[in-house]
Amino acid sequence: QVQLVESGGGSVQPGGSLRLSCVASGYTYTPYCMGWFRQAAGNQRDWIALMSSRGGTVYADSVKGRFAISRDNAKNAVYLQMNSLQSEDTAIYYCASDTRTGDTGCNSGILRSYGVWGQGTQVTVSS
């Protein structure tokens, strides 16, 4: 059974940085698509960054240029470096990983349909 465990959340002042980590266990293969979503209070869960095992990345406009996603395929881990954090970045951050085998594409719809999710980690940006 695949499980994801996130870490690295916390509280930071505006303009600060945090790095989130997500490690997957239970895989017998390298998942093609992994990514990060976030959900602010009262809002839906939105995707923010996706990365394929081949290195392709895509970012939501709201985080482009400030956040960077990376992976360590050997560890089945995905990371999110968050810089220049703003109050509107406050949310619970979730990682997700595709449970299917093969190079089958990487987008938010795939992860919503076929992904396994971590428990979430809170990020609070406040002065």
Side-chain angles (χ1 to χ4, degrees):
Q1 183 178 357
V2 175
Q3 293 183 321
L4 304 182
V5 178
E6 298 128 337
S7 60
S11 296
V12 64
Q13 293 185 338
S17 298
L18 284 174
R19 185 174 186 257
L20 305 183
S21 299
C22 172
V23 179
S25 61
Y27 275 107
T28 58
Y29 54 92
T30 300
Y32 185 70
C33 186
M34 301 184 79
W36 290 94
F37 291 66
R38 68 185 181 187
Q39 187 168 17
N43 289 356
Q44 64 182 13
R45 189 174 299 186
D46 295 324
W47 75 275
I48 54 174
L50 306 172
M51 187 170 186
S52 74
S53 58
R54 294 186 178 184
T57 60
V58 61
Y59 296 93
D61 288 342
S62 59
V63 305
K64 198 173 296 182
R66 300 187 299 123
F67 290 11
I69 188 172
S70 60
R71 289 180 59 164
D72 183 337
N73 290 333
K75 298 179 180 179
N76 281 339
V78 62
Y79 308 96
L80 187 68
Q81 177 65 42
M82 305 185 294
N83 299 325
S84 301
L85 284 162
Q86 305 163 1
S87 57
E88 50 264 40
D89 295 317
T90 295
I92 299 174
Y93 284 69
Y94 299 90
C95 64
S97 183
D98 195 353
T99 55
R100 301 172 303 159
T101 59
D103 297 355
T104 53
C106 191
N107 58 56
S108 60
I110 285 173
L111 289 180
R112 291 184 195 279
S113 297
Y114 304 106
V116 61
W117 296 81
Q119 80 284 359
T121 185
Q122 177 71 46
V123 172
T124 301
V125 184
S126 174
S127 56

